[in-house]
Amino acid sequence: MFDRFLRLGEGDQTAEEADRIRAVRLSVVGTSTPWMMAANLCNAILTLFAFYGSPSATEVYVICGLILAVALYTSASWWRHRRRGMRERASLRGTIRAIIYAAVLSSLWAALDVAAYHSADETQRMVLIALTVGMAGGGGFALATIPPASVVFCGTMAVGAALALSRDPTVVGAYLFVLYLIFAAIIVRSSLAVCRSLTERVRAKIAADEQRDVINLLLNDFEENAADWLWGVDRDFNLEHASVRFYDQLQVPDSMVLGRPITTIMPFSPVGVDGLDCRENFINSLLARQSFRDQDICVELGGELAIWSLTAKAIHDDAGNFMGYRGVGRDVTASRESRLRIEHMARHDPLTEVGNRVLLSEDFERAVSRYERFGDPFSVLLLDLDRFKQINDNFGHTGGDELLRTVASILSQLRGETDTLARIGGDEFAILHATEDPQSAAILAARIIEKLQQPLTLRCGSAHVGVSIGIACAPIDGIDPDQLMRNADLALYRAKTDGRNRYRFFDSSLDAAARRRSMIEQELALAIAEERLSINYQPLVDAQTRRVVCAEALLRWNHPTLGSVSPGEFIPIAEESGQIGAIGSWVLRQACKDAVRWPDHIRIAVNLSSRQFLSPGLLPLVETALKQNELPAHRLELEVTESLLMETTLGVEETLVSLSRLGLRIALDDFGTGFSSLSYLRRYRFDKLKIDQSFISDLETNSDSRAIVESVIKLARDLRMSVAAEGVETKGQFDLLRQMTCGEIQGFLVGRPMPVDQFEDYLRQNSDSVQRLYA
């Protein structure tokens, strides 16, 4: 209770805030100390004169003498320390000293009432009443920034007034005491209000100071490390002026270049940028006499190549005549190299260094564009290693990784120079093959099969692996990249069912998959109507505290005859048939209904398909699901995939903004695969990035994977997003991710997907933190 009283007025402050604000509050009281002591001195002297010759004069003189002594001592102490600056922080000792001072002074004034009031005449009583009220008001307001001291001062004065007036048998004494209590309550209430107001101002000042410090730090860093320089030329493009950093870059004094044409000053390199002649391109930009921005030129300084980025504004006089350029330049060599490295990592598989889905998708679009413009046919070969799992089990992940690198190297040697090779899955590769007829694709497939059926020498031993290949040709089997990939996948499935280690072209006879697809579509409609679908929940755990913070809703379908149908099989069918809307609505409502029973700190994550996301009914559906189940919006997390972001319509951005306004969280799922692009993070706002498990699987053995994961975590942190890692299966992966300050962990290590009743048992067993890691 005493500690709470000392901290009166600090209820919503952190410990660091309280120390800093307390220093300001004490400083305010210290500033008014001389005026407070002057008031005590004057009032004590006036009291001495008022009670001269009174029956209680002796007691009054003693008390007033003590008041004078305290006031003089305090004033002298203030005078000695008046030049000290305000402290940055103050402990509770400062508050305690203020309370003691308040208690001493108020006790002396209260004692004066008790000692003199009963024997005082009417004039002296008026003096005492005026002193009591005046000192209570003055002291209470002077100590307003320290509420405990203000309360003690007013309370002690109230006790003295009560004791003095209790000896007055008249009703007037009672009235005066009641009036004083009302006055004291107003003083205390006003003191707390003044304290709150001061606290808000100090908090605002602290925030402003911190922001100013950050800005100053950034400005200083810019001055010390920025590579920018200013330059200006006249109407004939002769250099008029430039900043010192420009001459430092050229490594020549200003006297040697001022007045000379800037086109002769720039140390152009014969090497161009993006295939363009830098000198010619720069001269053309100048001759256009129009502003230009971020024009890269390649320069050679001291035998080393560098890239400068130039921006210039065309200057015209009042008559519109061209007067020259004013511009800025910077050395972007490091940033361009970093960007190229990041772009390379985003488009290439970190394990095998061949392309990934992003590169394949981009080259698919180029191939389609070439066909539409020039009629150039092409084909796609989908490859799947036949015995990879067996080799992976025999030689471990290290051997499996080495095998994948060896296979990627062989495929790189066998493919054509204009072909695109990409790793699109664990042991799946795709080749986008430029061909004049399907026979060329067949020859390439036969060469690959012949090469890969031979034993491959690895560090851990000899591996026998085969490959199955499915081929789809454009325009025979379609033009759309997704359609071609699906058709190639059907052909690959036929190659596997025909005995593996062979290739097959897609043709219309591949209808077994189509029949199954049709059956699944019909049965799925019935399952939706009869609510035979179910949801499993997989926990996401805070990497630092091991506390369950989220659960991902995973749709499951157990058919009476088909058995357990994979979501990867029936979800695409649901999207194509238009049933995904009904499924998604049910999943969202059921997930919210289940989640509302869980602890308040656990969020529920629900995946959105592209069709469902672009549906105009998504927003009202989310609002209704939250309202009907009384689930707070911040506990709902919606996951979208990168393929969705390829939609360049305004609907994507507007939907993301509208969902964010509801207060829920948006997560970008499987980041780093599919159609990854840093431009998505710049254009759209996400609350969380989920790192795909393909980067986590070899985290312990692959330095490139670690570098990418660490970069993504830092990128997310810099963009004020949380980050989650999927597919964590070993304690080593878990420990590495903790060291990288990854926010959340998801995978079999912390919990498999489970029905809602098992998940709730899991929550009860791990209420504080996940006790068991299933490594």
Side-chain angles (χ1 to χ4, degrees):
M1 290 295 291
F2 180 66
D3 184 71
R4 291 179 61 186
F5 175 71
L6 290 179
R7 298 182 183 276
L8 193 62
E10 303 177 3
D12 58 343
Q13 301 170 18
T14 64
E16 182 176 358
E17 272 187 336
D19 289 346
R20 297 181 67 177
I21 294 174
R22 191 183 300 117
V24 177
R25 290 160 57 184
L26 290 170
S27 175
V28 171
V29 173
T31 303
S32 60
T33 294
W35 302 103
M36 293 169 58
M37 295 304 104
N40 280 275
L41 286 168
C42 292
N43 288 337
I45 293 171
L46 289 174
T47 303
L48 289 174
F49 283 110
F51 281 85
Y52 180 75
S54 169
S56 56
T58 302
E59 294 91 332
V60 171
Y61 291 166
V62 172
I63 294 172
C64 288
L66 292 173
I67 292 174
L68 290 171
V70 172
L72 289 172
Y73 173 79
T74 304
S75 299
S77 177
W78 173 84
W79 180 261
R80 287 195 306 272
H81 302 102
R82 69 187 187 283
R83 299 188 184 280
R84 286 186 180 178
M86 188 186 75
R87 293 183 177 181
E88 288 290 330
R89 290 175 172 79
S91 65
L92 283 175
R93 288 198 299 270
T95 301
I96 293 172
R97 284 197 296 270
I99 292 173
I100 292 173
Y101 269 106
V104 170
L105 280 174
S106 58
S107 296
L108 291 173
W109 286 110
L112 186 62
D113 287 342
V114 175
Y117 188 81
H118 70 283
S119 61
D121 56 26
E122 290 300 323
T123 301
Q124 292 169 339
R125 287 191 174 187
M126 292 297 294
V127 171
L128 287 175
I129 291 171
L131 284 173
T132 301
V133 173
M135 289 304 299
F141 283 112
L143 296 168
T145 58
I146 309 178
S150 180
V151 170
V152 167
F153 194 93
C154 293
T156 305
M157 295 289 288
V159 172
L163 294 175
L165 293 173
S166 65
R167 302 172 67 179
D168 186 354
T170 64
V171 179
V172 175
Y175 287 161
L176 289 175
F177 181 65
V178 172
L179 290 173
Y180 177 81
L181 289 181
I182 295 173
F183 183 63
I186 293 173
I187 292 173
V188 173
R189 182 67 181 85
S190 300
S191 170
L192 292 174
V194 170
C195 182
R196 282 196 299 271
S197 177
L198 176 67
T199 298
E200 291 174 1
R201 292 200 302 272
V202 173
R203 275 179 166 171
K205 183 178 183 302
I206 290 174
D209 290 344
E210 289 177 350
Q211 187 176 22
R212 183 194 63 217
D213 293 341
V214 171
I215 292 173
N216 289 337
L217 183 64
L218 292 175
L219 288 175
N220 292 335
D221 183 69
F222 178 81
E223 288 292 330
E224 293 175 2
N225 303 310
D228 293 20
W229 65 84
L230 302 176
W231 58 277
V233 297
D234 60 18
R235 68 182 65 191
D236 297 321
F237 312 128
N238 296 318
L239 184 66
E240 285 187 325
H241 60 83
S243 58
V244 175
R245 191 171 284 122
F246 176 68
Y247 304 119
D248 293 340
Q249 290 285 334
L250 291 177
Q251 302 175 1
V252 296
D254 56 352
S255 59
M256 292 183 61
V257 294
L258 281 175
R260 292 177 55 192
I262 193 169
T263 54
T264 64
I265 294 171
M266 291 293 185
F268 292 102
S269 168
V271 179
V273 176
D274 298 331
L276 300 176
D277 187 319
C278 297
R279 182 187 183 91
E280 182 181 355
N281 195 36
F282 182 59
I283 292 175
N284 291 336
S285 297
L286 293 176
L287 293 175
R289 289 177 168 79
Q290 295 181 352
S291 301
F292 55 87
R293 184 177 182 83
D294 296 333
Q295 181 171 126
D296 291 344
I297 64 172
C298 189
V299 298
E300 185 173 354
L301 297 170
E304 295 185 359
L305 296 179
I307 297 176
W308 290 357
S309 178
L310 303 177
T311 296
K313 177 178 176 60
I315 306 300
H316 298 84
D317 61 15
D318 296 337
N321 298 316
F322 176 73
M323 301 300 295
Y325 282 104
R326 299 292 180 270
V328 63
R330 69 182 65 179
D331 189 329
V332 296
T333 308
S335 61
R336 188 176 179 91
E337 289 176 351
S338 298
R339 187 175 74 238
L340 291 175
R341 284 196 299 270
I342 293 174
E343 290 177 353
H344 178 82
M345 289 190 297
R347 289 172 170 79
H348 290 78
D349 175 54
L351 175 63
T352 61
E353 286 297 322
V354 300
N356 58 14
R357 288 183 180 271
V358 177
L359 183 65
L360 182 65
S361 174
E362 293 173 348
D363 286 358
F364 244 131
E365 292 179 1
R366 295 188 184 97
V368 171
S369 178
R370 284 196 303 270
Y371 171 76
E372 292 175 344
R373 294 176 60 187
F374 308 112
D376 294 343
F378 62 94
S379 58
V380 58
L381 287 73
L382 205 57
L383 297 77
D384 185 83
L385 301 183
D386 289 337
R387 288 178 290 275
F388 177 74
K389 186 178 185 302
Q390 179 181 352
I391 294 171
N392 211 26
D393 292 340
N394 292 339
F395 298 122
H397 290 297
T398 302
D401 291 346
E402 185 183 359
L403 174 63
L404 290 174
R405 286 191 291 268
T406 302
V407 169
S409 175
I410 293 172
L411 295 177
S412 296
Q413 296 171 13
L414 295 177
R415 68 180 174 91
E417 293 183 359
T418 59
D419 294 349
T420 299
L421 171 63
R423 180 189 176 206
I424 59 175
D427 60 340
E428 293 184 359
F429 294 84
I431 298 177
L432 190 61
H433 179 58
T435 176
E436 295 182 357
D437 54 58
Q439 186 63 29
S440 175
I443 293 173
L444 175 60
R447 292 172 57 203
I448 293 172
I449 292 172
E450 180 183 2
K451 185 67 175 178
L452 291 184
Q453 69 183 358
Q454 299 174 8
L456 301 179
T457 302
L458 307 177
R459 287 194 297 267
C460 51
S462 179
H464 295 267
V465 64
V467 62
S468 299
I469 305 176
I471 307 173
C473 301
I476 300 172
D477 301 324
I479 295 299
D480 180 71
D482 291 338
Q483 180 185 359
L484 285 170
M485 289 295 289
R486 286 196 300 269
N487 291 343
D489 191 47
L490 289 173
L492 174 62
Y493 179 77
R494 171 58 63 86
K496 288 182 177 180
T497 57
D498 286 352
R500 300 178 181 271
N501 203 35
R502 64 196 65 213
Y503 68 88
R504 289 290 182 265
F505 283 93
F506 172 81
D507 60 59
S508 56
S509 65
L510 300 177
D511 58 352
R515 287 197 300 269
R516 175 177 173 84
R517 180 181 297 269
S518 177
M519 179 181 179
I520 287 178
E521 183 176 337
Q522 297 174 11
E523 292 296 316
L524 185 59
L526 185 62
I528 295 171
E530 298 179 354
E531 296 188 354
R532 294 180 185 172
L533 301 175
S534 62
I535 301 177
N536 281 5
Y537 296 97
Q538 186 173 24
L540 281 81
V541 173
D542 186 289
Q544 305 303 320
T545 64
R546 295 192 181 185
R547 192 182 191 192
V548 179
V549 294
C550 187
E552 182 176 2
L554 302 173
L555 188 62
R556 295 292 183 262
W557 181 24
N558 193 10
H559 189 270
T561 58
L562 296 176
S564 179
V565 184
S566 167
E569 183 176 10
F570 71 80
I571 289 295
I573 297 175
E575 289 182 337
E576 293 179 9
S577 63
Q579 297 172 331
I580 192 64
I583 294 176
S585 300
W586 177 81
V587 170
L588 183 61
R589 290 194 302 269
Q590 186 63 40
C592 291
K593 182 179 179 181
D594 292 339
V596 78
R597 301 193 303 266
W598 305 341
D600 293 340
H601 68 277
I602 297 179
R603 304 185 305 276
I604 178 67
V606 179
N607 292 279
L608 292 181
S609 70
S610 299
R611 183 183 293 270
Q612 184 182 9
F613 184 87
L614 296 174
S615 169
L618 175 62
L619 199 60
L621 169 65
V622 173
E623 291 177 324
T624 302
L626 292 173
K627 184 179 295 184
Q628 286 181 346
N629 296 285
E630 298 182 352
L631 183 71
H634 69 271
R635 291 187 59 197
L636 177 60
E637 191 171 279
L638 298 180
E639 297 184 2
V640 298
T641 59
E642 294 172 317
S643 60
L644 167 69
L645 304 181
M646 294 186 69
E647 297 285 345
T648 57
T649 61
L650 290 176
V652 173
E653 188 167 3
E654 291 177 354
T655 302
L656 285 172
V657 171
S658 299
L659 291 172
S660 296
R661 286 174 180 165
L662 292 179
L664 48 80
R665 291 164 56 87
I666 307 294
L668 182 57
D669 197 13
D670 299 334
F671 183 74
T673 63
F675 303 97
S676 298
S677 174
L678 297 179
S679 63
Y680 299 151
L681 302 182
R682 181 177 61 182
R683 180 174 179 183
Y684 305 112
R685 176 61 189 157
F686 298 99
D687 299 291
K688 180 199 286 188
L689 291 183
K690 297 189 72 175
I691 304 175
D692 187 73
Q693 59 184 358
S694 62
F695 294 102
I696 307 301
S697 61
D698 58 353
L699 190 64
E700 298 174 87
T701 58
N702 192 310
S703 59
D704 290 338
S705 290
R706 288 197 297 274
I708 292 176
V709 172
E710 195 165 11
S711 298
V712 171
I713 292 173
K714 184 179 184 302
L715 175 66
R717 184 169 60 248
D718 290 343
L719 294 176
R720 299 176 299 281
M721 291 184 286
S722 61
V723 61
E726 299 179 303
V728 179
E729 297 185 356
T730 69
K731 191 172 185 302
Q733 296 168 356
F734 180 86
D735 292 337
L736 282 173
L737 290 167
R738 286 191 68 184
Q739 294 173 12
M740 296 177 186
T741 67
C742 180
E744 299 173 9
I745 300 298
Q746 181 181 11
F748 290 172
L749 182 69
V750 295
R752 295 173 178 267
M754 59 195 85
V756 63
D757 53 346
Q758 294 181 21
F759 180 72
E760 290 175 353
D761 289 340
Y762 174 90
L763 290 180
R764 283 190 288 269
Q765 295 168 8
N766 301 276
S767 57
D768 294 326
S769 63
V770 175
Q771 301 300 318
R772 180 181 178 187
L773 296 179
Y774 299 86

